[in-house]
Amino acid sequence: MNIRAFQLSDYKSVAELLEVSLSEECCEETMSAFARQLSWDSELVLVAELEERIIGAMIGTIDHNKGYVYRIAVHPDHRRQGVGRALMAGLSHRFRQRNVFKILIAGDKHNELLLPFYEALGDQPIDFAKLSKPLSIMAV
């Protein structure tokens, strides 16, 4: 498995991944945040690739020296195989490269369902941040 930055040629594959991995409501919210983050900093959108197929994606952003994990999506056929952990490690590494050491999980109702996953990472303290407005409309 290879974790790498999103490339424009990945757009269709990532959009399809989000559709099969997320609820309809979550997918709609995520697509607008995904587009905004690509316009700001595509290096914080990561994909997990296995045999030239995208099986996972993670959207992160930085705001006021804090790193935010906005969304993670792993194809249902590849869950519980370390894909999410590898994506989180890749994003954490990118945050550290930019001297961002405080990592927050965007505390929306969709990420709250993943709280056990984030707690199980245990490598570093990760906090949930209740956002006053969706990350998809925050200015970075």
Side-chain angles (χ1 to χ4, degrees):
M1 176 174 47
N2 181 37
I3 303 298
R4 62 173 175 78
F6 173 89
Q7 300 168 359
L8 190 54
S9 60
D10 298 328
Y11 187 84
K12 182 179 178 189
S13 296
V14 171
E16 290 171 353
L17 171 74
L18 295 176
E19 286 179 14
V20 300
S21 302
L22 306 174
S23 69
E24 185 176 338
E25 176 188 16
C26 183
C27 184
E28 286 177 21
E29 291 174 16
T30 302
M31 287 303 293
S32 62
F34 175 48
R36 277 187 85 122
Q37 186 58 34
L38 289 178
S39 70
W40 290 326
D41 187 350
S42 63
E43 289 292 313
L44 294 176
V45 178
L46 301 182
V47 297
E49 186 177 50
L50 181 65
E51 298 174 0
E52 299 182 21
R53 183 171 161 237
I54 293 177
I55 60 169
M58 180 171 267
I59 302 168
T61 195
I62 295 173
D63 186 31
H64 302 297
N65 295 324
K66 293 178 185 164
Y68 288 88
V69 176
Y70 176 69
R71 190 73 68 229
I72 185 170
V74 175
H75 192 282
D77 294 342
H78 295 277
R79 291 182 181 157
R80 298 194 173 273
Q81 297 174 20
V83 178
R85 183 175 291 276
L87 284 164
M88 190 67 203
L91 188 60
S92 294
H93 177 73
R94 288 177 190 263
F95 286 151
R96 285 190 309 273
Q97 286 178 322
R98 296 177 185 204
N99 295 317
V100 173
F101 297 98
K102 179 70 173 174
I103 300 175
L104 302 164
I105 308 300
D108 64 15
K109 64 183 178 183
H110 308 294
N111 278 338
E112 286 177 1
L113 298 173
L114 297 175
L115 183 58
F117 163 74
Y118 290 114
E119 288 175 341
L121 293 174
D123 299 341
Q124 61 186 31
I126 297 174
D127 296 319
F128 272 74
K130 290 288 187 183
L131 303 176
S132 58
K133 54 187 171 181
L135 198 60
S136 61
I137 60 173
M138 287 178 67
V140 175

